[in-house]
Amino acid sequence: MQLNGYFKPRRLLILAAATALITLIIVFKYARLASIPVTQAEAAPPSMQRGSIFDSNGKLLAVSINLYDVGVSPSGIKDPAKFAREVAPILNEDESVILEKIINPKSKKYVQLKKKISQSKCDELKKLCTANQYRFMQFDCIPGRQYPEKSLASQVIGWMGVNGKGLAGIELTEQTVLTPPFDPIHPDNVHGNNIYLTIDAKLQFDLEKIAVAAREKTQAEALMLVAAEAKTGNIISYISLPAADLNEYSTSTEDEKRDLPATYGYEPGSVFKLFSVASFLDSGAINGSQTFYCDGIYQKKMQSGETIKITCLEHHGSLTARDALKYSCNDAMAQMSEGIDSDAFLDRIRSFGFGEAAGVEVPYETPGLVRKTSDRFWSARSKPTIAMGQEITVSALQMVQAATSLANGGVPVQLTLIDKITDYKGETTYQHKPAFKNRILKKSTADYLLSSMETVAREGTGHKAYLGDISIGVKTGTAQMADKKGGYSDTDFISNCMAVFPVEDPEIVLYIVIIKAKGENYAGRIVAPVIHDAANKIIDYRGMSRGNATSLAHSGRVSIGQKSPVEIKEKVPDFTNMPMIQLLPLLQRKDINVILHGDGYVTSQNPPAGTPVTENMKIELYLE
């Protein structure tokens, strides 16, 4: 046989050489790969069990539970109509909706029927599958969160999303505390830490009732209430209305989700006069006995030719600083501001904490706005206007923290929402201690302001907050809100009132803001009465001594209508008729495994009452 002209010896030689070279390269690379030692794939870190959130008395506010996404393989369902008829009641879905998903699936391999069903629903479906030998159903366990108190302090507690991460409130800011990252040095530690808030749930509940009633009465768009211990900075009540049910958070409105005390910036109006007068007095710009004459209008012509005009509600005549606060006189406040340099005044305001976030453990705090004299919007009227609580924006948290300086003789204390943190064994890893800041006022200045606030409550604009049998100091303020045109609205107002009590030895700072009340909006008429009711509730709850009442030594902590937590000792107790909320603390036990099926009250249990308790025993409770 003879080769044709194409297969010449030279070409064959080149082809053979190229083939040999490629073969050598392949062999070399294979040999090098073969020489690399085989490494085992790293195992995925174990899932972390998220810690719980409690109130200051150990009442459970947030706890982790198992939820399930349920789906099917449509091709495995022989009788779609029968299957839809069986599962629709369990999933609380229309039979037609289930049938449509099965008959016209987006995917032949998998169709999701419902997301985030409860453990009890999952158990019910699994029983159905076992009874009918349904092998086409799939259950995917996902981390869930239950909030037993629903909307109570919801903006503080916050919310955990479906990915197991906090998306609001303490759930967000304390994510790494509640669910720490996996630690390879301590691989067995798969438990998050528990957080105890400073909020007292019982007091919060009582004050929320007062706040809800006030909002309904005034037909207000929103309402804020913050109450804090003056000497510790512990926030004992934190209310933002409207509020979301945390168990239905994803379907709540944006207004219900918004944390107003932390994120809402506003002009406070005349309540801010407290901090202006404190600044004037402490700097020596005025003294407590100095008088100012109010003729109903402050008017001054500047060297630039600009004329400042600020009106007052009344012709108050001759006033001291105390009187100016008592009658909330704009004219006198503007005159006082003449005695202090603008930059020095702004520095004083910033020393109270205005212009920066208050540093409380909630997300997205507003720093507010304190202008600089170099700002393009600064004018000759800015200083007297700021002195009256306009041309400045604040948060409710900033206002309360600033007020603690008056309550503590000139030394503010850092506000906090976290009392302590414990590990899963219950051992305390963090305990809050009061964090006092640098002195910003002389004690004599703070005492003068407290005394003036008491005068406001006795005889002035805040008389509707007066308690009679326990001293209280207040300051009211009603501020026009900015409109869309850059001016001030004639219909929308911020009505607010600050309170400190008892005046002689302050224990509580209480601040309430009503936003856009309809009809009456004067703070002395609509907010001061709410301060009166809320202060009375706090005083009674804490067992504070009243001047006209018999005083008995008492802790002040009274639990009404709440059942004590269930205790499991040597034998399993009878759980029959116990409510679910009473059982939730048992889910935190590490020595036994308590499983809840259903909601409501216990109807049966396994094992029965009286069974000896053993290590890691399983106790199943069925609720309806």
Side-chain angles (χ1 to χ4, degrees):
M1 185 177 68
Q2 210 175 16
L3 295 172
N4 63 31
Y6 180 79
F7 293 103
K8 294 181 178 179
R10 186 168 176 235
R11 287 181 178 177
L12 288 173
L13 188 61
I14 292 172
L15 178 62
T19 302
L21 180 62
I22 293 172
T23 302
L24 284 172
I25 291 172
I26 292 172
V27 170
F28 174 76
K29 287 189 174 183
Y30 178 79
R32 190 174 66 173
L33 288 172
S35 66
I36 298 174
V38 178
T39 57
Q40 297 293 330
E42 291 187 10
S47 59
M48 183 71 67
Q49 183 175 339
R50 192 176 182 85
S52 298
I53 300 175
F54 300 87
D55 86 330
S56 59
N57 297 314
K59 188 178 184 65
L60 193 62
L61 301 177
V63 63
S64 291
I65 58 173
N66 286 332
L67 297 175
Y68 297 86
D69 290 345
V70 57
V72 294
S73 300
S75 59
I77 304 175
K78 296 179 180 179
D79 190 343
K82 177 178 178 290
F83 176 73
R85 191 164 54 251
E86 290 172 336
V87 301
I90 301 174
L91 296 176
N92 294 323
E93 291 284 357
D94 288 338
E95 188 178 320
S96 59
V97 173
I98 300 294
L99 189 60
E100 177 65 22
K101 289 181 178 181
I102 298 170
I103 295 175
N104 298 307
K106 294 181 179 180
S107 169
K108 292 182 179 180
K109 293 183 177 179
Y110 180 80
V111 171
Q112 190 171 79
L113 296 183
K114 194 161 187 175
K115 298 176 67 175
K116 298 174 66 175
I117 67 171
S118 67
Q119 179 73 57
S120 60
K121 295 288 185 184
C122 179
D123 291 343
E124 199 172 346
L125 286 172
K126 285 182 177 179
K127 286 181 181 179
L128 178 70
C129 291
T130 301
N132 294 277
Q133 295 187 345
Y134 291 156
R135 295 184 177 85
F136 48 77
M137 291 195 78
Q138 181 176 323
F139 302 91
D140 296 319
C141 183
I142 58 172
R145 202 73 160 156
Q146 189 167 51
Y147 302 95
E149 299 302 317
K150 299 180 179 179
S151 63
L152 188 86
S154 62
Q155 287 89 350
V156 174
I157 299 166
W159 186 67
M160 188 195 78
V162 294
N163 60 356
K165 293 184 178 180
L167 299 178
I170 292 292
E171 294 274 32
L172 170 58
T173 59
E174 304 305 312
Q175 168 68 24
T176 57
V177 173
L178 293 163
T179 308
F182 177 69
D183 182 2
I185 299 175
H186 302 95
D188 295 332
N189 182 17
V190 294
H191 301 282
N193 297 308
N194 300 316
I195 293 177
Y196 288 75
L197 302 178
T198 57
I199 298 293
D200 186 311
K202 178 63 173 66
L203 180 61
Q204 175 82 10
F205 177 78
D206 290 341
L207 293 180
E208 281 189 8
K209 286 199 296 185
I210 292 173
V212 168
R215 181 173 175 238
E216 290 176 352
K217 183 177 180 179
T218 59
Q219 300 180 60
E221 182 177 287
L223 183 147
M224 295 181 271
L225 182 154
V226 179
E229 293 178 340
K231 293 179 175 63
T232 66
N234 287 359
I235 297 173
I236 58 175
S237 183
Y238 188 110
I239 297 171
S240 179
L241 298 178
D245 180 341
L246 294 176
N247 296 309
E248 305 293 337
Y249 192 84
S250 59
T251 59
S252 300
T253 67
E254 290 304 312
D255 287 340
E256 290 171 333
K257 295 175 183 177
R258 191 172 183 186
D259 178 2
L260 294 173
T263 66
Y264 184 64
Y266 58 96
E267 293 185 353
S270 294
V271 175
F272 195 79
K273 291 173 181 174
L274 289 171
F275 310 113
S276 298
V277 170
S279 299
F280 301 151
L281 278 170
D282 212 64
S283 65
I286 65 169
N287 62 64
S289 59
Q290 186 176 348
T291 59
F292 306 87
Y293 188 81
C294 168
D295 59 3
I297 186 170
Y298 173 80
Q299 188 167 306
K300 186 176 182 180
K301 190 169 185 178
M302 311 302 292
Q303 291 182 346
S304 62
E306 181 183 358
T307 299
I308 303 171
K309 289 184 180 181
I310 296 175
T311 59
C312 194
L313 294 175
E314 302 285 347
H315 292 67
H316 293 116
S318 184
L319 301 171
T320 62
R322 179 189 300 273
D323 297 325
L325 291 172
K326 173 181 173 181
Y327 298 115
S328 203
C329 178
N330 292 339
D331 190 349
M333 290 299 303
Q335 292 178 56
M336 289 183 217
S337 72
E338 293 179 5
I340 189 171
D341 175 76
S342 295
D343 284 316
F345 179 43
L346 294 176
D347 286 343
R348 287 276 179 173
I349 288 173
R350 292 190 184 95
S351 73
F352 283 102
F354 298 110
E356 63 181 11
V360 180
E361 304 91 341
V362 284
Y364 315 125
E365 272 193 277
T366 178
L369 174 65
V370 178
R371 295 193 188 283
K372 296 180 180 179
T373 54
S374 58
D375 287 351
R376 65 188 184 97
F377 293 109
W378 184 269
S379 69
R381 64 177 291 123
S382 292
K383 182 172 59 172
T385 303
I386 290 172
M388 294 180 295
Q390 293 182 326
E391 282 195 44
I392 183 172
T393 60
V394 303
S395 72
L397 289 177
Q398 288 175 334
M399 292 289 282
V400 172
Q401 188 148 279
T404 65
S405 66
L406 306 181
N408 287 306
V411 181
V413 64
Q414 175 64 49
L415 296 180
T416 183
L417 281 162
I418 296 179
D419 179 41
K420 68 177 179 179
I421 298 172
T422 67
D423 61 20
Y424 76 98
K425 295 178 181 178
E427 296 179 2
T428 300
T429 59
Y430 165 82
Q431 178 67 61
H432 170 69
K433 294 180 180 179
F436 290 95
K437 302 189 174 187
N438 295 330
R439 176 176 291 279
I440 60 174
L441 297 173
K442 303 180 188 75
K443 186 177 186 303
S444 58
T445 302
D447 290 345
Y448 183 93
L449 266 296
L450 284 178
S451 177
S452 298
M453 291 175 72
E454 186 174 18
T455 302
V456 175
R458 286 180 178 274
E459 309 165 15
T461 59
H463 68 276
K464 288 185 179 293
Y466 185 63
L467 300 175
D469 57 359
I470 192 167
S471 60
I472 185 170
V474 303
K475 182 67 189 84
T476 61
T478 307
Q480 289 175 284
M481 298 179 70
D483 60 21
K484 294 180 180 179
K485 297 179 181 178
Y488 285 97
S489 171
D490 294 326
T491 57
D492 297 336
F493 293 85
I494 292 283
S495 309
N496 58 137
C497 184
M498 180 71 71
V500 178
F501 56 92
V503 171
E504 62 275 7
D505 186 17
E507 291 185 35
I508 300 294
V509 175
L510 172 64
Y511 183 51
I512 297 177
V513 184
I514 294 179
I515 303 171
K516 292 187 181 180
K518 290 183 172 59
E520 179 64 70
N521 50 58
Y522 184 55
R525 298 192 183 108
I526 66 170
V527 189
V530 189
I531 287 281
H532 173 275
D533 294 343
N536 268 321
K537 182 62 68 177
I538 294 170
I539 290 164
D540 289 341
Y541 183 76
R542 292 173 67 90
M544 296 166 65
S545 176
R546 291 183 179 272
N548 297 335
T550 302
S551 179
L552 298 174
H554 194 277
S555 67
R557 304 281 186 180
V558 180
S559 180
I560 300 174
Q562 295 184 22
K563 296 183 179 180
S564 59
V566 181
E567 291 188 0
I568 300 179
K569 296 181 179 178
E570 292 83 7
K571 295 184 178 181
V572 176
D574 184 359
F575 293 98
T576 307
N577 295 324
M578 286 188 183
M580 183 177 186
I581 192 169
Q582 196 175 347
L583 303 169
L584 292 176
L586 296 178
L587 301 179
Q588 303 302 308
R589 293 278 296 263
K590 306 305 176 187
D591 55 334
I592 55 175
N593 184 18
V594 178
I595 301 174
L596 304 182
H597 301 282
D599 302 298
Y601 294 80
V602 177
T603 57
S604 62
Q605 66 183 77
N606 183 37
T611 303
V613 174
T614 58
E615 185 74 16
N616 297 320
M617 79 179 298
K618 181 178 179 182
I619 301 175
E620 293 186 281
L621 305 176
Y622 298 88
L623 298 84
E624 291 183 5

